[in-house]
Every structure is written in structure tokens, then in C-alpha cells.
């Protein structure tokens, strides 16, 4: 018989009885507050069309790069997990077989955030009470599959059930945003908003970059063969995104480098990258200059600017060639922020009406660079522990290494940054529990008062994110 699936009410709370008691009280005050998800990658079509999800494997396994990454590391071919190949070669299409393979391997996730999130989904969303394993694989598949066929498990119903106030998706500048237009017309425009993600028209090393600029010109009627026309086209698309609910832009460049070029220097550089003659040094210079331009535009139009450098994308070149991006082959890198961001912060960082939210995959930079920067510049805020560090220990390290320098109020609460829609409430629950545990320690050590802890817990849960992303 399979073991019982249980979610302990004190999970993630401190082991000290005194701190645990405080954490329980703090958590009870925030556990049912709305979920605000200002930085994520769910598909807006889910909410616009409100169609049933296809099956358990297509929903919970195939799109989840955390799941794919772990199983691939243990020698499980991605084809066997239902992932399509770029060349159209065969892959497993029997989603029950995919689920069985996942269930047989579920023990691999012990101690990982994925295990916590998935167990929460199984227990709280689908009401399952035995652990997932080979023995329970078919029971799980049948129960989840049956639930997904009901109206209560359509995207909009789950959105309401989860208590989501706002969720932001992420689209590139060439996206027509037809799903967001439909949502807006149906009264969901403030619930599901878009985010402007211009990497594919700012990064000359993006495959098809020149063609992307042609399409940008066609969409906007601007002459993207010239630098001035290119900037006009970007302003045009930013305005278009704002009209569809966007409050933020998002930039995933390899580094945090920023450069302040003259107009002539920028135009000459643009001519090189536009013509396909850019060197790697030119590409880095152009990306850094365009971050400066994006900051200038954000200062003008009010979009909050997010940057999250430090990921070596598609590190596994053969896997990328076979399956495309976002299959788990991304690796964190060392990242410099102090010198890289100095040109941008010197130009815009003293303006409190401009907001720059900085994320990192390089935890060594928290205390040395990011907290001191955010603890000084009025425009800069720290994004939460992100991606590889979206975990209990990652969240704890974030608070421990940043709070003494930047405080709580130079951070922006929590965001889940996920495509896995059903895991969103699980992730927010983990963040709330970890923040309450951290605050409980400060109370127990008489470093803050209990009334302060309750106020900070609420601010970390809702108020800071509303303010930072202008979702008031």
C-alpha cells in the first residue's frame, strides 16, 4: 500500500517551539490574502479561451522545465516524456505512459521545491491522499483527468479558486496580443495583464534578429532600417502593450551591462547590428545601450523595468538543437552589478518615479552588490529569490543576506515566474511561510516588535508588489 500524502500544517516553520508559535500566528494573518503574480509565463490563451486542459501529462509534465531537467539528468529521454523534437521525429504521444514514467521516477524529487509544489497540487487541488509512485500512477492519472474535464477545473474557475487578484503573462513585441484584447473586452483586463519582453528585438544574437526588426517595422509603420525609426517602433509597441494592461517591461540579457552611447555612436552601432555584421563585442555593447534606452522610455511612459541577467541560456547545445529552448538547459553564471549598472543608475537611479527591479541568479552578489545598491538608489528594488533559488533555502538566504542592508521595503514581495499555472498558489504559500518564519526569528530575538512583524508580513505578501508594479 502506498504511503499517505500529507501536508503538515507546520511545514517550513522554524523548529524552535517559540519561533514556530510566532510563525503560525503571522502566517494565519496572511495565508488567505490575494495572490498577485506580476512576473510569469502562463499562456494568456488559457484565460481568454477558457478551454479545458488536455490531460495530466500535458498540463503538469511536458511544459515544466524543472521536471524535465531532473528526469533528463537521470537518463530519461525527453521524447519519452512527450516532448516534441524540432525535426519532427517520433516522441511519446500516449500521455498515460508519460505519466507512468513520471510516477516511477517521482522519488527523484525528494527535497526539491518541485516536490513541495507538486504534492500541494495533488493534495489541495485534486484531493489525492496517497503519494505518487508506480503503484498509484493510474489512480492519479484517472482522477486528475476526470477533474480536468469538469467546468470547475477550467482556467478561469481555477483562477478564482486560487484567489488570484492579478497575473502577468509575458509577450514579445511582435505579439498581436489578441488574447489580451479578448480578456480586456470581457472584463478580465485587470486580472490578466501582459508584460513587454523585447529581447528578440534588442539582442542581435537572437536567431532571426534582422527579420524581427523587419516585422517590427511592418507592425508599427516605422522605418526600422534607421536607428531613429527603430526607437520610434519600440515606443509604439510599448504604448500598444500599455493599452493592453502592461505595467512592466522585462529584460533577460546575458549580463547586466549598460552603456551610455552618443546618438551618433548608437546609430553607427545599429547599422552594424542591423546589417548582420556585429561582432560579439558589438552585440554586448548594443544590448547594454538598449537597456539604457529602455530605462529612458520607462521614465517617460511609466513601465516598471525588470532585468534578470546571469543565465547561460541553452547550455546543452545538442539538447537545444533537438528540442528548442526552455527544456532545462539553462545554467546560472557569475554576474557583475556594481560596475555594470553604474551608467544606468547614474543617469536614472536617483529618480524615485522610475522603478528598476533587479533579479539575480548569482547569490554571491546579494550582500556584496545588490543589497547595497538597492539600499541607496531610490529607483532600484530587489526582485525576490528567483528561478534556481525559488526554494525555501533560497528564500532564507535572500532575506538573511539583503535585509540588514536594504531592509524589507527595498524589495518587491514575491513572484512565481512560472508556466506551471497550478503550482502558483503552492509557490506563494511557500514564500509566505518562509517570510513568516524569518520574521518570527526577528521577533523572538527582540529585533522587531510583534505588531511590526504582522505589518511587514502583509506588506511582503501584497502591498509591496502592488506598489512596485503599479497595480494599485
Amino acid at each position: 500500500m502506498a504511503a499517505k500524502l500529507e501536508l503538515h500544517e507546520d511545514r517550513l516553520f522554524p523548529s524552535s517551539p517559540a519561533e514556530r508559535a510566532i510563525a503560525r500566528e503571522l502566517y494565519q494573518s496572511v495565508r488567505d490574502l490575494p495572490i498577485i503574480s506580476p512576473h510569469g509565463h502562463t499562456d494568456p490563451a488559457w484565460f481568454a479561451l477558457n478551454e479545458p486542459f488536455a490531460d495530466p501529462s500535458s498540463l503538469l509534465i511536458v511544459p515544466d522545465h524543472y521536471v524535465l531537467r531532473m528526469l533528463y539528468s537521470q537518463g530519461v529521454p525527453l521524447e519519452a516524456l512527450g516532448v516534441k523534437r524540432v525535426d519532427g521525429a517520433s516522441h511519446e504521444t500516449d500521455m498515460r505512459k508519460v505519466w507512468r514514467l513520471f510516477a516511477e521516477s517521482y522519488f527523484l524529487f525528494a527535497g526539491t521545491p518541485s516536490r513541495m509544489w507538486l504534492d500541494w497540487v495533488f493534495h489541495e487541488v485534486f484531493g489525492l491522499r496517497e503519494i505518487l509512485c508506480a503503484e498509484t500512477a493510474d489512480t492519479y492519472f484517472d482522477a486528475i483527468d476526470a477533474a480536468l474535464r469538469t467546468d470547475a477545473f477550467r482556467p478561469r474557475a481555477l483562477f478564482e479558486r486560487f484567489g488570484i487578484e492579478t497575473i502577468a503573462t509575458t509577450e514579445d513585441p511582435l505579439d498581436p496580443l489578441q488574447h489580451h484584447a479578448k480578456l480586456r473586452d470581457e472584463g478580465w483586463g485587470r486580472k490578466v495583464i501582459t508584460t513587454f519582453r523585447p529581447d528578440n528585438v534588442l539582442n542581435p544574437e537572437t536567431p532571426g534578429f534582422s527579420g524581427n526588426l523587419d516585422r517590427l517595422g511592418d507592425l508599427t509603420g516605422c522605418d526600422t532600417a534607421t536607428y531613429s525609426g527603430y526607437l520610434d517602433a519600440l515606443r509604439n509597441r510599448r504604448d500598444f502593450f500599455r493599452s493592453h494592461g502592461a505595467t512592466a517591461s522585462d529584460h533577460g540579457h546575458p549580463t547586466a551591462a549598460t552603456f551610455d552611447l552618443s546618438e551618433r555612436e548608437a546609430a553607427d552601432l545599429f547599422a552594424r547590428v542591423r546589417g548582420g555584421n556585429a561582432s560579439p563585442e558589438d552585440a554586448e555593447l548594443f544590448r547594454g545601450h538598449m537597456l539604457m534606452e529602455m530605462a529612458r522610455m520607462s521614465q517617460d511612459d511609466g513601465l516598471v523595468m525588470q532585468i534578470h541577467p546571469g543565465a547561460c541560456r541553452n547550455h546543452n547545445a545538442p539538447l537545444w538543437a533537438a528540442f528548442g529552448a526552455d527544456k532545462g538547459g539553462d545554467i546560472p553564471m557569475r554576474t557583475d552589478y556594481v560596475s555594470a549598472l553604474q551608467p544606468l543608475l547614474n543617469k536614472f537611479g536617483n529618480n524615485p518615479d522610475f522603478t528598476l527591479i533587479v533579479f539575480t541568479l548569482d547569490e554571491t552578489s546579494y550582500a556584496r552588490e545588490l543589497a547595497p545598491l538597492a539600499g541607496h538608489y531610490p529607483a532600484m528594488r530587489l526582485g525576490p529569490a528567483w528561478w534556481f533559488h525559488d526554494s525555501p533555502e533560497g528564500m532564507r538566504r535572500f532575506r538573511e543576506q539583503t535585509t540588514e542592508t536594504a531592509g524589507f521595503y527595498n524589495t518587491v514581495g514575491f513572484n512565481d515566474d512560472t508556466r506551471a499555472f497550478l503550482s502558483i498558489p503552492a509557490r506563494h504559500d511557500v514564500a509566505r511561510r518562509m517570510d513568516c518564519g524569518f520574521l518570527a526569528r526577528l521577533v523572538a530575538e527582540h529585533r522587531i516588535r510583534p505588531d511590526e512583524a504582522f505589518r511587514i508580513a502583509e506588506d511582503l505578501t501584497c502591498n509591496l508588489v502592488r506598489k512596485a508594479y503599479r497595480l494599485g
Side-chain angles (χ1 to χ4, degrees):
M1 178 180 292
K4 288 185 178 180
L5 173 61
E6 297 178 323
L7 301 181
H8 197 285
E9 64 179 10
D10 285 337
R11 62 191 182 278
L12 301 177
F13 289 161
S15 57
S16 158
E19 291 181 24
R20 185 166 61 242
I22 299 169
R24 284 175 184 158
E25 288 190 54
L26 291 169
Y27 174 69
Q28 288 302 319
S29 73
V30 299
R31 67 176 299 170
D32 295 324
L33 291 178
I35 288 174
I36 303 166
S37 175
H39 175 117
H41 302 280
T42 52
D43 188 342
W46 294 342
F47 311 110
L49 304 178
N50 200 33
E51 295 175 346
F53 292 108
D55 61 79
S57 297
S58 298
L59 175 61
L60 296 170
I61 300 173
V62 178
D64 191 331
H65 61 83
Y66 289 99
V67 170
L68 300 181
R69 180 188 187 89
M70 176 63 78
L71 296 180
Y72 184 77
S73 77
Q74 289 288 307
V76 178
L78 294 189
E79 296 94 333
L81 296 169
V83 181
K84 296 179 181 178
R85 292 180 58 94
V86 171
D87 61 9
S90 63
H91 66 282
E92 184 58 70
T93 57
D94 185 333
M95 292 295 108
R96 186 180 291 272
K97 288 184 179 179
V98 171
W99 188 266
R100 287 172 176 165
L101 179 57
F102 171 57
E104 293 166 4
S105 307
Y106 195 56
F107 70 94
L108 297 172
F109 294 90
T112 68
S114 293
R115 173 66 178 270
M116 285 190 306
W117 302 331
L118 286 164
D119 279 353
W120 188 96
V121 169
F122 298 149
H123 189 280
E124 296 295 300
V125 180
F126 295 107
L128 295 160
R129 293 296 183 265
E130 292 182 310
I131 65 167
L132 178 62
C133 58
E135 181 184 346
T136 60
D138 284 336
T139 299
Y140 261 70
F141 188 92
D142 291 338
I144 296 172
D145 193 55
L148 295 179
R149 298 175 189 275
T150 67
D151 288 345
F153 285 81
R154 288 178 183 254
R156 291 192 185 186
L158 289 172
F159 186 105
E160 301 289 3
R161 174 181 168 186
F162 293 160
I164 298 174
E165 178 176 298
T166 303
I167 193 169
T169 65
T170 305
E171 282 74 46
D172 72 67
L174 307 179
D175 194 295
L177 301 184
Q178 73 271 25
H179 298 304
H180 285 282
K182 185 175 189 295
L183 287 161
R184 181 188 58 195
D185 293 344
E186 294 178 358
W188 273 64
R190 293 180 65 85
K191 295 182 177 182
V192 183
I193 62 176
T194 186
T195 300
F196 183 69
R197 177 69 178 267
D199 294 358
N200 67 343
V201 294
L202 299 189
N203 183 359
E205 294 179 325
T206 301
F209 176 73
S210 182
N212 290 343
L213 297 195
D214 291 338
R215 291 179 57 201
L216 181 65
D218 292 341
L219 277 172
T220 61
C222 299
D223 182 7
T224 55
T226 69
Y227 179 61
S228 61
Y230 168 66
L231 294 182
D232 287 341
L234 290 170
R235 293 188 190 96
N236 179 292
R237 293 309 284 175
R238 289 171 68 99
D239 288 344
F240 180 72
F241 271 65
R242 289 174 61 232
S243 74
H244 287 73
T247 68
S249 67
D250 187 26
H251 308 271
H253 294 189
T255 75
T258 59
F259 303 104
D260 189 13
L261 303 182
S262 69
E263 187 173 344
R264 177 61 182 271
E265 289 172 327
D268 289 346
L269 178 59
F270 177 75
R272 293 199 297 277
V273 302
R274 184 69 167 94
N277 299 315
S279 66
E281 293 75 19
D282 282 338
E284 176 71 347
L285 187 61
F286 187 74
R287 286 189 296 262
H289 174 70
M290 289 312 299
L291 282 182
M292 190 75 76
E293 289 294 345
M294 291 295 100
R296 182 175 288 109
M297 291 183 193
S298 283
Q299 191 169 244
D300 292 340
D301 63 24
L303 287 184
V304 173
M305 184 176 179
Q306 304 173 95
I307 64 171
H308 56 271
C312 178
R313 306 276 179 174
N314 307 306
H315 188 274
N316 189 333
L319 195 77
W320 181 32
F323 295 97
D326 301 321
K327 298 301 183 292
D330 300 334
I331 307 293
M333 301 187 300
R334 289 190 300 268
T335 305
D336 163 59
Y337 293 93
V338 171
S339 59
L341 289 177
Q342 188 174 21
L344 188 151
L345 290 172
N346 277 192
K347 196 136 194 171
F348 305 110
N350 295 299
N351 179 3
D353 295 326
F354 166 61
T355 301
L356 173 70
I357 300 174
V358 181
F359 297 81
T360 189
L361 288 174
D362 181 2
E363 290 186 308
T364 64
S365 67
Y366 281 153
R368 185 184 65 246
E369 301 185 49
L370 288 173
L373 286 170
H376 172 73
Y377 283 97
M380 184 169 159
R381 296 291 180 266
L382 295 185
W386 164 64
W387 200 349
F388 288 84
H389 310 304
D390 179 12
S391 64
E393 297 305 325
M395 293 172 187
R396 194 194 319 272
R397 288 191 295 267
F398 175 80
R399 292 291 175 212
E400 288 176 343
Q401 294 184 54
T402 64
T403 302
E404 290 184 332
T405 304
F408 293 107
Y409 290 86
N410 283 311
T411 68
V412 299
F414 174 71
N415 60 53
D416 47 75
D417 185 39
T418 186
R419 296 174 179 82
F421 177 46
L422 270 62
S423 76
I424 287 175
R427 294 167 187 248
H428 283 260
D429 186 66
V430 169
R432 294 175 190 192
R433 288 173 178 274
M434 292 306 300
D435 280 341
C436 289
F438 183 77
L439 290 167
R441 192 182 89 193
L442 299 187
V443 172
E445 294 175 355
H446 305 290
R447 295 165 64 184
I448 62 173
R449 300 187 312 273
D451 63 301
E452 286 183 288
F454 280 99
R455 185 188 73 242
I456 294 168
E458 180 178 344
D459 288 341
L460 293 176
T461 300
C462 289
N463 298 331
L464 289 180
V465 66
R466 288 193 187 109
K467 181 180 180 181
Y469 286 88
R470 302 177 184 178
L471 297 171

